Amino acid sequence: MEGERCAFFSWKYGHYFEFLSAKDFNIKVRCTLCVGEKVLSTFKNTTSNLKKHLESQHGTVKLTERKLVAQYIVEEMLPINTVDSPSFRAIIKKIPTSVNAELPHRTTFTSYLEKEFTEMERNLKAALNEIDFVSTTADIWTANNRSYMGVTLHWISRTTLERHKVALACRRIRGRHTYDVIGTEIENIHSSYGLLNKVVATVTDNGSNFVKAFQEESTPKDDDVTFSDLSEILSAENESDGQLSLPPHRRCASHTINIICTRDVEKHLTTNAESRAVYRSSTAKCTALWTKSSRSTLASETVEEISKRKLLIPTSTRWNSFFDAVKRIAEIPMGELNTLCTKLGLKCFKDQEYQFLHEYCMAMKPLTAALDILQGDCPYGTLLPTLEVLMQKTQAVKDDLSRMTAIQIRFAGVLDDKDALLAAASCPKFKLRWLRDAGRREQVKQLLTAECCTTAPLANNPASVPSATTSSSQGEMDFFTFVAEPEEETYSAEKEVMDYLMSGYDLQILHKFQSIKTIFLKYNTPTPSSAPVERLFSLGGLVLTPKRNRLSDKRFEKLLLMSYFKNKVISIVTK
């Protein structure tokens, strides 16, 4: 056949073109990479014209391919030796290129990732130099008999008022997790990025080691005057070099609410003999269902056959998991539920126990809804309005759990905290609307006004302008007559607060109120929850698998931090 003698049919990049026709010594093909019908003509015995088309129009395809490969390896947490896989390289080889270059192998690819991480870290440090207020979240994660300290960083853009977050570290911790080890590691991470004087707060869970680490480094408030010998202070200068410098501490609100939903609710229900009996019997039967369905495939199939759903198994490390598991059982009609228990050889639910499950879900629903709100990407000002509404909704439920005062006790140090009040008042969507008591509303308003005066001292108390030095005598100056200059309007914190409270609820209105905008940036930078660092650990679980037990701690940290930068464009330079 004539087509068999044509160079096009044996060309390795011929699959990027569609053969159309042949006439005399020429052939016509269509480029499948071009948009539309791009028809090209070339001689039968050469493909140089088609090769020039690929070089000029699709020459960056190979470079784009390598960018995507690097981004794919990092974000999907795949082993770096994926680039050495013959099947993977065979797929990549099908992408056209203007130069005869191949995908780098593992060693070259690893060197590039090291270089890319260094550049990413340098760019982050340069960007943080322009930010005034940042906050961090910290926690310790244990996996495969290794412990890691994770820290995430959060800030709000002054120009767009958008929240941003990055992962700062996920460093290996050896030995016991004592408070001094935790404090030292957090300070080292902050200082490595130059954040010691910028972190307004660090959010952790309620672990005693974390709480003690920040309490030990907090400055004691003592009004007594203490006189010290100057020589003793100078001699102890070297010893004080080891003193840590940690930011203010915030306890994770989501973790606190989860403690209320589990420990405090159980303690409250077991104080009364009647409620204790029905609580223990109903939860025991639920636990039996969860155990049976999770350990037996036959039992799991029986659950799906009867209830048309799967049971959720509660886990201690996942917030709201117990509530979700109980709710799933309560959604099953009582007749089907008891039929299921009979087939599985378990005790059936009594009417009182089944009713208790429904009342439990109804009473706990506001708590779980508040927990979901606080563990989202929200500012610290969301905490107090959420707690106020939570207490109102809890008291509105007319049952035994509505008399529980665990919320007021657990959050006693937050409900009247100055930082929390200013954070909520400076949020345009909240302002003072979440306060029902008129006296407290006026108190928070005065607090916001006083903070505005502190934030803008130069605007509120302009410095007197010194008189210009002149050689003219006073008599000479009296000769001239000047028109009185209008007095500049002095700054009024009361007016700014009043105008702010009368304005809308959109976040962008803060650009009109500079003092309140600064207050918002300072007090709303922290998150009410430490959930961001927990998500970092979830991402780390995709890397630190048992099959990758030879992965070094440094390499693991770099891959994890690069993967956390979802919007980072990874580029690779062809050499």
Side-chain angles (χ1 to χ4, degrees), residues 387-397 434 436:
L387 294 179
E388 289 288 338
V389 175
L390 176 59
M391 289 186 290
Q392 296 170 11
K393 290 182 177 295
T394 304
Q395 294 174 359
V397 179
W434 53 280
R436 294 196 174 188

Side-chain angles (χ1 to χ4, degrees), residues 368-384:
T368 56
L371 194 152
D372 290 336
I373 292 174
L374 294 177
Q375 69 178 340
D377 191 15
C378 58
Y380 190 67
T382 311
L383 177 57
L384 284 188

